[in-house]
């Protein structure tokens, strides 16, 4: 069984944003949102020995994805290749998974009102292609493949060259996006953008996002039903009176 993974070599990345543009075009991502992003860490060190690093981020297709369990509709799931996917027909746009993701990799798409995120370009993989960001990377800094295939490039980069996961002792969910880079740069990336502990759902949030709309819809339907019954009865009464 394939286990898909991505490796980004931060030593090669030139922060040109070609990957984010390709991703947005591939998925028609609305302006102001992104499935993949490129940032630059704040400067570290002291003058004249200052340093910084590009950071290329997206959904990590985690081995133990904290975004799956809180999904009340079952729309978020992990497929056989380890890719965490969203069934948009089932998603209700409640955003619980957005809160649960330690990497801030999800957003509510304002056009569809459903959750959106990277899925390693699943349709492209099924056509035998690599994800759009990998195909477009101007610096050839991104690699994609099957971690279970010991002859794949990603396997070599992870198991031989020590490509690293961006996780901490407190947030270790098995991300399948790995990074190569100078150790001080990888440390700087992790300290600048550490994964945050998944936010737990509070009773207030559950009421506001899930139960309240449901209760209001039920109340609305009850009123509508009573109104229909009232006018039906009224109409029937008028008929009886005419007779
Ligand atoms: S990065 Fe976030 S959205 Fe992606 S699988 Fe992990 S927890 Fe889920
Ligand atoms: S396309 Fe490649 S080089 Fe450009 S920002 Fe993305 S990862 Fe970096």
């Amino acid at each position: 069984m394939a286990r898909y993974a991505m490796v980004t070599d931060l030593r090669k990345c030139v922060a040109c944003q070609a990957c984010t543009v390709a991703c947005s075009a591939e998925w028609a991502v609305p302006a102001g949102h992104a499935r993949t992003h490129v940032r630059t860490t704040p400067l570290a060190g002291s003058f004249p020995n200052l340093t910084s690093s590009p950071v290329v981020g997206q959904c990590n297709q985690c081995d133990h994805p904290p975004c799956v369990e809180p999904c009340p509709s079952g729309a978020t799931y992990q497929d056989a290749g380890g890719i965490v996917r969203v069934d948009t027909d089932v998603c209700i746009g409640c955003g619980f998974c957005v809160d649960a993701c330690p990497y801030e990799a999800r957003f509510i798409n304002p056009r569809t009102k459903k959750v959106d995120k990277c899925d390693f370009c699943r349709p492209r993989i099924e056509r035998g292609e690599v994800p759009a960001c990998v195909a477009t990377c101007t610096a050839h800094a991104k690699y994609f493949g099957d971690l279970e295939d010991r002859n794949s490039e990603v396997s070599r980069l992870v198991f031989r060259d020590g490509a690293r996961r961006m996780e901490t002792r407190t947030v270790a969910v098995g991300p399948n996006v790995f990074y190569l880079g100078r150790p001080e740069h990888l440390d700087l990336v992790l300290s600048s953008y550490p994964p945050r502990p998944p936010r737990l759902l509070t009773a207030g949030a559950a009421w506001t996002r899930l139960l309240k709309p449901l209760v209001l819809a039920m109340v609305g339907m009850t009123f509508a039903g009573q109104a229909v019954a009232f006018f039906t009865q009224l109409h029937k009464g008028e008929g009886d009176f005419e007779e």
Side-chain angles (χ1 to χ4, degrees):
M1 187 66 69
R3 195 80 187 166
Y4 294 111
M6 191 176 283
V7 177
T8 301
D9 190 339
L10 296 180
R11 297 166 301 191
K12 291 183 178 177
C13 175
V14 292
C16 66
Q17 304 281 354
C19 51
T20 55
V21 173
C23 173
S24 295
E26 182 83 17
W27 292 99
V29 178
H33 296 275
R35 283 180 161 212
T36 181
H37 53 260
V38 179
R39 293 179 283 200
T40 305
T41 64
L43 287 172
S46 50
F47 186 81
N49 299 313
L50 293 167
T51 188
S52 77
S53 171
V55 189
V56 186
Q58 71 230 62
C59 170
N60 290 277
Q61 323 300 344
C62 306
D63 284 340
H64 312 289
C67 55
V68 171
E69 202 261 328
C71 175
S73 68
T76 285
Y77 66 100
Q78 198 170 28
D79 75 12
I83 297 178
V84 177
R85 301 174 68 182
V86 178
D87 183 343
T88 48
D89 288 339
V90 179
C91 176
I92 57 171
C94 64
F96 294 165
C97 57
V98 176
D99 286 350
C101 172
Y103 294 95
E104 299 182 10
R106 291 171 169 253
F107 61 93
I108 300 292
N109 186 316
R111 197 176 53 244
T112 62
K113 312 282 188 249
K114 311 281 177 100
V115 86
D116 206 333
K117 74 167 196 73
C118 163
D119 63 359
F120 277 171
C121 286
R122 202 36 154 134
R124 290 177 64 101
I125 300 172
E126 280 157 19
R127 295 197 299 267
E129 299 167 16
V130 294
C133 59
V134 177
T136 316
C137 179
T138 55
H140 306 291
K142 289 172 87 74
Y143 305 83
F144 176 79
D146 178 8
L147 216 48
E148 290 293 318
D149 174 3
R150 293 300 146 130
N151 295 316
S152 71
E153 201 160 26
V154 286
S155 269
R156 282 200 296 276
L157 295 173
V158 169
F159 299 116
R160 186 194 66 192
D161 298 349
R164 224 170 101 180
R165 286 176 150 158
M166 287 295 149
E167 58 183 1
T168 61
R169 222 173 318 163
T170 46
V171 184
V173 292
N176 284 302
V177 174
F178 296 78
Y179 295 89
L180 285 167
R182 286 164 51 189
E184 65 271 29
H185 279 170
L186 298 178
D187 289 343
L188 179 59
V189 168
L190 196 52
S191 62
S192 302
Y193 304 105
R196 60 161 171 73
R199 286 192 206 113
L200 295 174
L201 176 66
T202 62
W207 164 251
T208 310
R209 289 198 224 160
L210 194 62
L211 293 174
K212 193 173 170 187
L214 203 64
V215 169
L216 288 176
M218 283 170 68
V219 169
M221 279 163 65
T222 307
F223 269 116
Q226 284 182 345
V228 168
F230 173 76
F231 285 112
T232 308
Q233 196 59 39
L234 194 66
H235 183 69
K236 197 164 162 265
E238 278 173 1
D240 290 349
F241 183 73
E242 278 164 16
E243 279 168 17

